[in-house]
């Protein structure tokens, strides 16, 4: 009896999804909180640790590290929204924080620990941080005509912190000596005086605001096929007025015959702070196109997308980076009340393999998902990084 009841419920959900609008469609007014975060690396994976006897094989790690070294990545993007959803018009207010930290390290330390330092070897034991923190506010306006819809989302953003630079220790093993050179320059940009934080004024964060514009559309091509596109373009770059620079230099030559007199000559780290830097910065530029194939109306959605992104677009400090992006996903939707999704993608220079679920009770909705991530495609399937998100929405 229970099996028959369960079967009848599933059948009713399927037919309701296929042939009718229902109670679980969009709320007319809603308050939404989104909390996603992720961290990953391109070297250490979960299967390296989940063993009966954990053994760290430095030789294997050294052999498997990428040519450009180790990369540690962290992202976080908490956001709140107020949305008004009418049949043909949507209006929303959005505010949030966008944190991105990419820390690159030279492969020299792992190679030296795993393989030693042979004659003729040159090792790069360096670090290169890329850190951005933005606060932003956006207004979303969407219109729908029959099955065609589009939206525009102008936004203002205030950079709170931007860190860049590169440097570290470079080692070369010659036949009769070892040469070591230290050379590092790190730059930190903020909207407030870095060396006078006791006089911090929150209004300084609002100076030099930047402006960008997100927009997109959805267009049905055939009965079961829809094309859509999304983009975000910089309009006016934000400006950071304060710059702090730290420079470190030094070096030595170690003679194998005179190890007792080893000395590392280096200058003290020099921190220079200045105002009026007028450092220009933008949030990433993105462009993505998607094709949605819905063979069973809204019950099943097969989505494929491709596009590109640009990190630090139009900047002149050599930090601008172009990268391709893609997305492949599948969603099973039961009358908008219960959804399951699985996807794989490469966005913001991260490979993401994700599972998600949506429970929508009209007045209350909870979306949650988990993912395995990495800047390495192979490592993204082996547990070298993880992400999660939680979305809470309520309204009527």
């Amino acid at each position: 009896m229970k099996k028959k009841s369960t079967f009848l419920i599933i059948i009713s959900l399927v037919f309701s999804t296929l042939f009718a609008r229902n109670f679980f469609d969009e709320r007319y007014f809603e308050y939404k909180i989104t909390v996603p975060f992720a961290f990953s690396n391109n070297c250490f994976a979960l299967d390296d640790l989940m063993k009966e006897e954990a053994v760290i094989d430095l030789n294997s790690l050294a052999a498997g590290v990428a040519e450009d070294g180790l990369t540690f990545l962290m992202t976080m993007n908490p956001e709140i929204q107020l949305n008004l959803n009418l049949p043909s018009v949507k209006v929303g207010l959005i505010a949030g924080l966008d944190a991105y930290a990419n820390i690159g390290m030279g492969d020299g330390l792992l190679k030296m620990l795993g393989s030693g330092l042979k004659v003729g070897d040159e090792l790069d034991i360096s670090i290169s941080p890329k850190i951005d923190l933005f606060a932003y506010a956006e207004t979303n306006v969407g219109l729908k005509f029959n099955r065609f819809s589009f939206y525009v989302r102008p936004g203002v953003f205030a950079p709170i912190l931007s860190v860049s630079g590169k440097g570290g220790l470079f080692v070369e093993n010659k036949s009769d000596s070892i040469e070591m050179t230290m050379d590092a320059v790190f730059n930190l940009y903020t909207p407030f005086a870095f060396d006078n934080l006791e006089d911090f004024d929150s209004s300084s964060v609002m100076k030099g605001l930047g402006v960008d514009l997100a927009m997109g559309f959805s267009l049905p091509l055939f009965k079961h096929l829809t094309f859509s596109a999304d983009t975000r373009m910089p309009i006016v770059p934000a400006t950071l007025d304060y710059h702090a620079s730290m420079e470190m230099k030094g070096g030595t030559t170690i003679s194998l015959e005179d190890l007792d007199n080893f000395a590392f000559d280096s200058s003290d780290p020099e921190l220079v702070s200045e105002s009026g830097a007028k450092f220009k910065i933008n949030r990433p530029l993105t462009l993505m196109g998607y094709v949605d194939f819905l063979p069973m109306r809204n019950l099943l959605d097969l989505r494929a997308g491709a596009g590109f992104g640009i990190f630090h677009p139009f900047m002149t400090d050599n930090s601008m980076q172009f990268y391709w992006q893609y997305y492949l996903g599948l969603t099973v939707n039961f009358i908008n009340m219960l959804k399951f999704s699985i996807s794989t993608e490469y966005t913001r220079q991260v490979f993401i393999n994700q599972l998600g679920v949506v429970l929508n009770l009209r007045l209350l909705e909870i979306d949650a998902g988990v993912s395995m991530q990495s800047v390495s495609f192979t490592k993204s399937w082996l547990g070298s990084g993880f992400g999660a998100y939680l979305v809470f929405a309520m309204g009527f």
Side-chain angles (χ1 to χ4, degrees), residues 261-279:
N261 296 323
F262 166 71
F264 192 86
D265 298 325
S266 64
S267 58
D268 293 332
E270 183 179 359
L271 181 64
V272 178
S273 181
E274 61 176 340
S275 61
K278 303 299 181 184
F279 180 73

Side-chain angles (χ1 to χ4, degrees), residues 187-198:
N187 296 294
L188 185 149
Y189 296 91
T190 62
F192 47 82
F194 181 71
D195 56 351
N196 194 22
L197 294 178
E198 63 271 13

Side-chain angles (χ1 to χ4, degrees), residues 236-277:
V236 178
T239 302
L240 291 169
D241 278 339
Y242 293 92
H243 170 221
S245 174
M246 184 173 70
E247 183 174 353
M248 296 179 291
K249 289 184 178 294
T252 189
T253 298
I254 305 174
S255 172
L256 300 181
E257 299 176 353
D258 196 18
L259 290 176
D260 293 339
N261 296 323
F262 166 71
F264 192 86
D265 298 325
S266 64
S267 58
D268 293 332
E270 183 179 359
L271 181 64
V272 178
S273 181
E274 61 176 340
S275 61

Side-chain angles (χ1 to χ4, degrees), residues 93-139:
L93 299 175
I94 306 166
L97 291 172
D98 189 353
Y100 176 88
N102 185 317
I103 310 297
M105 299 181 65
D107 61 0
L109 181 60
L110 275 181
K111 288 187 175 180
M112 184 172 65
L113 294 175
S115 306
L117 187 61
K118 302 180 180 66
V119 174
D121 282 354
E122 297 181 4
L123 299 182
D124 175 7
I125 308 174
S126 62
I127 183 170
S128 53
K130 291 185 293 186
I131 302 173
D132 285 337
L133 176 60
F134 297 98
Y136 61 89
E138 300 172 339
T139 300

Side-chain angles (χ1 to χ4, degrees), residues 17-94:
T17 301
L18 291 175
F19 299 110
R21 286 183 60 84
N22 60 82
F23 177 75
F24 300 103
D25 282 340
E26 288 182 316
R27 288 165 290 279
Y28 294 110
F29 176 80
E30 67 177 3
Y31 172 72
K32 181 181 289 188
I33 301 175
T34 305
V35 186
F37 70 92
F39 62 92
S40 64
N41 74 93
N42 65 338
C43 184
F44 304 99
L46 188 63
D47 64 342
D48 296 326
L49 303 175
M50 300 298 290
K51 298 178 181 179
E52 185 174 346
E53 293 184 7
V55 177
I56 299 177
D57 189 340
L58 294 175
N59 288 319
S60 297
L61 291 175
V65 69
E67 290 185 3
D68 53 356
L70 304 174
T71 301
F72 298 90
L73 182 68
M74 187 280 291
T75 60
M76 186 169 57
N77 185 204
E79 189 176 82
I80 59 173
Q81 298 184 23
L82 288 175
N83 296 316
L84 177 64
N85 303 314
L86 301 177
S88 299
V89 179
K90 296 181 180 181
V91 179
L93 299 175
I94 306 166

Side-chain angles (χ1 to χ4, degrees), residues 158-391:
I160 300 173
L161 176 70
S162 182
V163 179
S164 61
K166 184 177 181 180
L169 189 63
F170 304 90
V171 182
E172 182 179 0
N173 186 1
K174 297 187 175 181
S175 59
D176 57 351
S177 63
I178 296 176
E179 289 191 0
M180 304 174 66
T181 304
M182 181 175 64
D183 188 0
V185 178
F186 299 105
N187 296 294
L188 185 149
Y189 296 91
T190 62
F192 47 82
F194 181 71
D195 56 351
N196 194 22
L197 294 178
E198 63 271 13
D199 295 332
F200 170 72
D201 181 2
S202 60
S203 64
S204 61
V205 177
M206 307 306 294
K207 297 178 182 179
L209 294 177
V211 179
D212 52 23
L213 176 66
M215 56 185 177
F217 70 89
S218 177
L219 174 67
L221 300 178
F222 304 103
K223 183 178 180 180
H224 300 294
L225 198 67
T226 299
F227 176 76
S228 60
D230 298 286
T231 185
R232 184 173 68 193
M233 301 179 296
I235 304 298
V236 178
T239 302
L240 291 169
D241 278 339
Y242 293 92
H243 170 221
S245 174
M246 184 173 70
E247 183 174 353
M248 296 179 291
K249 289 184 178 294
T252 189
T253 298
I254 305 174
S255 172
L256 300 181
E257 299 176 353
D258 196 18
L259 290 176
D260 293 339
N261 296 323
F262 166 71
F264 192 86
D265 298 325
S266 64
S267 58
D268 293 332
E270 183 179 359
L271 181 64
V272 178
S273 181
E274 61 176 340
S275 61
K278 303 299 181 184
F279 180 73
K280 306 292 184 180
I281 188 171
N282 286 299
R283 292 198 290 173
L285 183 156
T286 60
L287 175 63
M288 290 288 291
Y290 299 93
V291 174
D292 288 85
F293 178 54
L294 299 95
M296 304 173 67
R297 297 207 177 187
N298 292 327
L299 177 62
L300 182 64
D301 184 352
L302 304 174
R303 165 169 271 213
F308 65 87
I310 302 177
F311 177 77
H312 280 184
F314 312 121
M315 292 182 63
T316 59
D317 64 343
N318 297 319
S319 64
M320 185 171 69
Q321 287 183 308
F322 176 92
Y323 50 92
W324 295 105
Q325 300 191 139
Y326 69 80
Y327 177 91
L328 295 171
L330 178 152
T331 299
V332 179
N333 179 358
F334 296 103
I335 61 171
N336 288 335
M337 183 182 71
L338 187 62
K339 298 179 184 179
F340 298 97
S341 63
I342 182 172
S343 63
T344 182
E345 62 185 279
Y346 180 70
T347 53
R348 294 195 72 173
Q349 299 177 286
V350 187
F351 293 96
I352 304 171
N353 308 302
Q354 184 164 273
L355 292 172
V357 62
V358 176
L359 177 62
N360 178 13
L361 302 177
R362 179 70 186 192
L363 299 179
L364 175 68
E365 178 180 328
I366 297 176
D367 307 358
V370 294
S371 61
M372 293 192 297
Q373 306 190 9
S374 178
V375 294
S376 162
F377 175 77
T378 303
K379 293 292 185 179
S380 70
W381 298 95
L382 300 177
S384 69
F386 297 93
Y389 68 88
L390 179 65
V391 181

